[in-house]
Amino acid sequence: MTAAVAVRGIEKSYGDLHVLTGVDLEVARGSIVALLGSNGAGKTTLVRILSTLLKADAGEASVAGHDVASAPAEVRMSISLTGQFAAVDEILTGRENLVLVARLRRVPDPGGVADAQLARFGLAEAGARRVGTYSGGMRRRLDIAMSLVGDPPVVFLDEPTTGLDPQARREVWAAVRALADGGTTVLLTTQTLDEAEHLADRIAILHEGRIIVDGTLAELRALIPAPTVEHVEKQPTLEEVFLAVVGAKGTP
């Protein structure tokens, strides 16, 4: 089977600033690949190229079997893009947001689609409430639900848990994992290492314009020497304490 996302030699510069200098990457169908990198590494630039919002200077890329440069309309019909901040209308209810997107995409039975998405992302009870009353995790889940109207086979998530507390972050993780379990291909950009550990089937590290490492978590761990084994008392992390106190929800 062809890869859901295939990137070969992609380059992008802004004047004298060379952001991408020959990126090679493949994302298998139905998998989650986490793209790691520091601020300014070029993660968002690569996602913008793959989603046809930006043209590469060199190289080639395909998404869902469609060439990004020569068939942008077909690519856009095959993808969903969720940015770093939830793009929801806070005045409308959750259901109204979903119905609006379904109508814009000319999906049959917008109301039925909205109800199905609310149930899919655990928002059925909150569907009639204004989004302005939602928590950060609920807004992000609604944002992802809106982006998935029409069931696109490939989803790009650009740092989807930015600014969320630990509990909300785990709610989003559960939603993302459910996507892949349902056959959706996910390319996830993140700076959060534990996010990549929890979610990704494969992890790619983007550094100085290139993918310098690409593999499973076990393969990446094998790149460093085996640690010295010492018996120590493990103390809970602050995140574990927080979740234990408030009650963890949405744990993958």
Side-chain angles (χ1 to χ4, degrees):
M1 293 179 66
T2 59
V5 178
V7 178
R8 292 287 180 272
I10 287 292
E11 299 179 11
K12 183 63 183 179
S13 299
Y14 299 96
D16 294 330
L17 178 61
H18 304 297
V19 179
L20 303 176
T21 59
V23 173
D24 297 319
L25 179 67
E26 284 196 359
V27 181
R29 296 180 186 273
S31 69
I32 299 178
V33 170
L35 183 62
L36 297 180
S38 57
N39 277 333
K43 303 186 301 297
T44 297
T45 296
L46 180 59
V47 168
R48 287 174 62 84
I49 290 172
L50 292 173
S51 55
T52 75
L53 298 176
L54 194 64
K55 289 186 177 181
D57 297 333
E60 57 185 26
S62 66
V63 177
H66 306 293
D67 185 86
V68 170
S70 63
E74 288 81 357
V75 170
R76 288 192 288 270
M77 290 293 292
S78 303
I79 67 169
S80 163
L81 171 61
T82 299
Q84 297 179 19
F85 303 99
V88 295
D89 190 319
E90 297 189 358
I91 297 177
L92 300 178
T93 67
R95 188 176 189 277
E96 288 170 342
N97 269 277
L98 286 161
V99 168
L100 176 62
V101 172
R103 287 176 174 169
L104 289 172
R105 293 188 176 179
R106 300 181 181 179
V107 175
D109 188 16
V113 169
D115 291 336
Q117 290 296 85
L118 289 170
R120 181 181 184 184
F121 287 90
L123 294 169
E125 293 183 1
R129 285 168 41 195
R130 285 197 316 110
V131 174
T133 67
Y134 283 17
S135 68
M138 293 170 68
R139 293 185 193 198
R140 176 54 81 184
R141 279 186 285 149
L142 177 62
D143 189 31
I144 295 174
M146 291 166 60
S147 68
L148 292 175
V149 170
D151 293 320
V154 180
V155 175
F156 299 126
L157 300 177
D158 192 12
E159 300 190 20
T161 59
T162 296
L164 298 184
D165 62 50
Q167 185 167 316
R169 187 165 67 246
R170 287 176 179 250
E171 291 176 1
V172 173
W173 289 354
V176 174
R177 173 46 64 187
L179 291 180
D181 290 344
T184 302
T185 303
V186 179
L187 177 60
L188 165 79
T189 74
T190 183
Q191 297 183 67
T192 308
L193 301 185
D194 62 338
E195 185 161 273
E197 287 190 32
H198 275 85
L199 290 176
D201 300 306
R202 298 186 67 83
I203 298 168
I205 299 177
L206 182 62
H207 182 65
E208 295 183 348
R210 292 177 179 269
I211 301 292
I212 58 172
V213 174
D214 179 5
T216 65
L217 180 58
E219 290 169 343
L220 268 57
R221 284 174 171 163
L223 296 175
I224 62 175
T228 301
V229 177
E230 296 181 358
H231 296 284
V232 297
E233 182 180 349
K234 182 182 181 297
Q235 297 295 322
T237 66
L238 182 57
E239 180 172 314
E240 289 171 336
V241 172
F242 177 89
L243 293 170
V245 171
V246 303
K249 296 180 180 180
T251 304

